[in-house]
Amino acid sequence: MKLPELTRNSRKKIGEAIHEFGLIREGDRLMVGLSGGKDSLVLLVSLKALQQRSPVRFTLEALTLDPTEGACSFESLRDFCTSLGIPHHFVSVPIFRLIEERAEPSPCSFCANLRRGILSSFSRQKGCTTLSLGHHLDDVVETALLNLLFSGRFSSFSPLTWQDRTELRVIRPLVFLEESRISSEAERLCLPVVDLKCPFSRNSMRAWVKAQIAAMSETAPNLRQNLLRALRGENGGSAGWAS
């Protein structure tokens, strides 16, 4: 299978993030959190391409968590990983059922924390040094505004974090890439996106903030890039990446 190729602009932004934050090191063993969404698939493709052309040697594996207890099929991800020569792991976790049973008031936060914990533990068990996640620029901006509006802090998750418990590095190479561009790449490359409909996402605070950003961007089209510059500490400010 011919390796899907991202556009030059997308590769440039991913490379910029990897270089600026030192996301990939010689000998790293990367586990990619492969949810089956467009973000994680674009991440996987970008890392596979980088692995082939970069002088920095690193290995790649992928892990998919099924929150539906078998209600959704993820076989296309296994086949796609096989075509790329990437080992694929699969774990079923009843996340959706747990949210319902707990009547979880913050389903997105609960899901994200649970998924990240399982991904981290599994990665460490497999001897990986790094967990790679598909968060993009829109996620960065939404998190920054959520923190500002509800916690009084202007900060977002860092592109590179260290987990003391698992002794694992967590990297996010797509942080400079807009969600719209990722959608375009996934569609153009015909990536096997899994149609996993989360029953809790529509009423979340993150969904509300996403809608506010979309509305504000009609008047301020550079909103996302301006917030990113503020987080990076440009124009004399201090960086807003959380540790």
Side-chain angles (χ1 to χ4, degrees):
M1 174 183 176
K2 182 180 179 181
L3 181 65
E5 183 74 12
L6 300 181
T7 62
R8 181 178 180 182
N9 186 272
S10 294
R11 296 197 307 271
K12 180 180 178 181
K13 290 191 175 185
I14 295 170
E16 183 181 354
I18 291 174
H19 175 74
E20 180 171 331
F21 299 101
L23 300 185
I24 299 178
R25 308 167 303 178
E26 178 72 26
D28 271 346
R29 297 187 62 184
L30 270 63
M31 181 71 76
V32 178
L34 185 64
S35 67
K38 62 187 185 310
D39 312 325
S40 63
L41 282 163
V42 167
L43 173 64
L44 188 71
V45 167
S46 68
L47 291 175
K48 181 62 180 180
L50 180 64
Q51 183 188 46
Q52 291 186 343
R53 67 173 182 269
S54 173
V56 177
R57 292 169 296 178
F58 61 92
T59 65
L60 275 177
E61 299 180 45
L63 171 60
T64 297
L65 302 183
D66 175 13
T68 71
E69 298 181 273
C72 184
S73 174
F74 294 89
E75 291 185 5
S76 60
L77 300 184
R78 179 201 61 195
D79 296 341
F80 187 62
C81 286
T82 298
S83 71
L84 296 178
I86 298 174
H88 180 244
H89 310 282
F90 182 84
V91 176
S92 180
V93 185
I95 297 177
F96 289 174
R97 177 162 56 85
L98 287 173
I99 292 174
E100 289 183 348
E101 292 175 351
R102 293 164 54 104
E104 181 60 46
S106 302
C108 290
S109 296
F110 175 80
C111 179
N113 291 332
L114 182 58
R115 290 171 65 93
R116 189 161 53 247
I118 296 170
L119 286 167
S120 298
S121 297
F122 189 92
S123 299
R124 198 56 185 163
Q125 290 173 13
K126 291 297 181 180
C128 292
T129 62
T130 306
L131 172 62
S132 187
L133 302 175
H135 296 112
H136 46 65
L137 177 57
D138 290 65
D139 293 323
V140 170
V141 170
E142 290 161 16
T143 300
L145 287 184
L146 280 167
N147 287 336
L148 178 63
L149 294 173
F150 299 104
S151 302
R153 298 179 291 109
F154 183 67
S155 66
S156 191
F157 53 79
S158 175
L160 170 63
T161 55
W162 169 257
Q163 292 184 344
D164 291 327
R165 182 179 62 83
T166 57
E167 297 185 333
L168 199 70
R169 300 167 84 243
V170 180
I171 65 172
R172 300 171 170 92
L174 304 185
V175 290
F176 294 162
L177 210 57
E178 302 90 340
E179 184 176 17
S180 59
R181 183 176 296 276
I182 291 174
S183 297
S184 296
E185 294 280 18
E187 182 176 355
R188 181 180 63 83
L189 297 174
C190 299
L191 298 182
V193 175
V194 175
D195 186 19
L196 176 62
K197 292 182 174 62
C198 174
F200 308 101
S201 61
R202 287 188 176 182
N203 297 323
S204 69
M205 291 309 301
R206 181 170 290 274
W208 177 80
V209 166
K210 180 185 286 288
Q212 305 312 306
I213 292 173
M216 288 188 290
S217 295
E218 294 183 6
T219 302
N222 294 326
L223 173 66
R224 293 173 179 81
Q225 293 298 331
N226 286 338
L227 286 173
L228 176 61
R229 280 194 285 270
L231 286 168
R232 295 172 80 174
E234 298 179 9
N235 301 322
S238 58
W241 301 116
S243 58

